[in-house]
Amino acid sequence: CSMGRTASRRDSFLRCGEGCFPRRFVVPLHRATADFDADGDLRPGRVDVAARLLTATLVASQRVRHNAQLWLPFLGGEAPATVCASGGPARGLHPSERDAARRLRLALDGGDDDATARERKGFRLLPGGFVDALAEALALARAPDDGGSAAAPLLILAEGAPPLADVLRDHGPLDDLVVVLGADVGLSDEEVAAATRLGEAHGGRVLAASLGPVALLASQCITLVHWHLDAIHACPAHLWAPPEQRSRVSSNRRKKRANANS
């Protein structure tokens, strides 16, 4: 399957039907560097935060969120680099920090090793930092010729802003959405200003919203944003297969596991 070869909407998302819209998250990692050991201690540079952000964005219970996408700019080194992970082509993701860190490591290492091609699918490495990542996210969300919407809004999560539920209700239907939020050290004033400028370019709309009066982990914020967006549209756990077919598939998988363990 060639899906995931490009950054287009067609290659990045699997939408379940009418009303399904992409959710794109951009989270700068100010202390994270690209030289971490996925099998070692993930706390230096807070790569553990990056791993939790990845699972919060793309992994739900027993499934992958096929309409979600995440940009993680690693800004702690001399040359910033960004990993973009897309739920459409991603396979075999698990809610494990170690597994997520390994996927990020494979994406940063690049290469075309067939042994890891499946695990790398859905992950792209691009040069540049926060501004470059956000510019790409907005450009893809607002590309009408690729199915995007020129009016796709940029949502900045900020303390003291109106509640997210009110902001989404006032905005109306969504065709696409780009969300910016801070990680362990938050967003700087310069990053907020840069995001606002990029969001307003070409007439785009910039929204600010909060998730309550208590400071939350960035991964928790993404989970709550998903919860609010799921209230607008929630994809089914299985996109295509009817219940009776899913039952047969699950039964076959259980038999294969039993045979393998016998």
Side-chain angles (χ1 to χ4, degrees):
C1 176
S2 62
M3 184 182 182
R5 298 279 180 87
T6 73
S8 70
R9 176 184 293 226
R10 181 189 65 254
D11 278 357
S12 299
F13 303 103
L14 291 174
R15 297 199 292 170
C16 65
E18 190 69 26
C20 186
F21 58 90
R23 311 147 180 219
R24 310 173 194 257
F25 297 86
V26 182
V27 190
L29 305 172
H30 294 97
R31 293 192 285 175
T33 62
D35 60 354
F36 64 90
D37 179 4
D39 296 317
D41 188 357
L42 301 178
R43 290 173 296 177
R46 302 315 308 266
V47 177
D48 57 332
V49 173
R52 288 195 292 271
L53 289 167
L54 178 61
T55 57
T57 302
L58 296 187
V59 183
S61 179
Q62 304 298 317
R63 64 189 178 101
V64 173
R65 288 186 177 272
H66 296 297
N67 63 340
Q69 194 170 35
L70 173 68
W71 280 261
L72 289 175
F74 285 71
L75 306 178
E78 294 183 2
T82 297
V83 173
C84 176
S86 304
R91 297 292 182 271
L93 288 174
H94 302 285
S96 157
E97 286 187 17
R98 192 65 63 185
D99 179 74
R102 184 168 179 268
R103 296 299 185 94
L104 293 171
R105 178 75 272 155
L106 290 172
L108 288 163
D109 289 342
D112 296 313
D113 181 7
D114 289 341
T116 58
R118 176 182 172 85
E119 294 175 290
R120 192 179 293 114
K121 199 166 188 179
F123 290 76
R124 292 187 294 116
L125 178 64
L126 53 146
F130 171 68
V131 171
D132 302 282
L134 180 55
E136 179 181 86
L138 286 167
L140 293 172
R142 295 175 175 176
D145 59 340
D146 190 34
S149 169
L154 169 66
L155 173 66
I156 301 175
L157 292 185
E159 293 183 14
L164 178 58
D166 295 345
V167 172
L168 292 175
R169 183 185 63 247
D170 294 343
H171 180 272
L174 291 167
D175 296 317
D176 210 312
L177 179 66
V178 179
V179 183
V180 170
L181 65 150
D184 55 309
V185 297
L187 293 172
S188 68
D189 292 341
E190 292 77 10
E191 286 170 335
V192 172
T196 302
R197 287 195 301 272
L198 285 171
E200 291 176 344
H202 312 296
R205 189 176 181 189
V206 177
L207 311 172
S210 68
L211 293 168
V214 178
L216 301 170
L217 299 177
S219 55
Q220 294 172 332
C221 291
I222 288 180
T223 299
L224 286 175
V225 171
H226 273 313
W227 185 85
H228 283 279
L229 297 178
D230 286 344
I232 299 173
H233 173 82
C235 293
H238 300 272
L239 295 186
W240 302 288
E244 61 274 11
Q245 182 177 341
R246 295 199 299 268
S247 178
R248 289 196 299 271
V249 171
S250 298
S251 176
N252 290 336
R253 287 176 177 170
R254 287 194 295 270
K255 291 178 181 178
K256 287 180 179 180
R257 285 196 295 266
N259 292 336
N261 295 329
S262 61

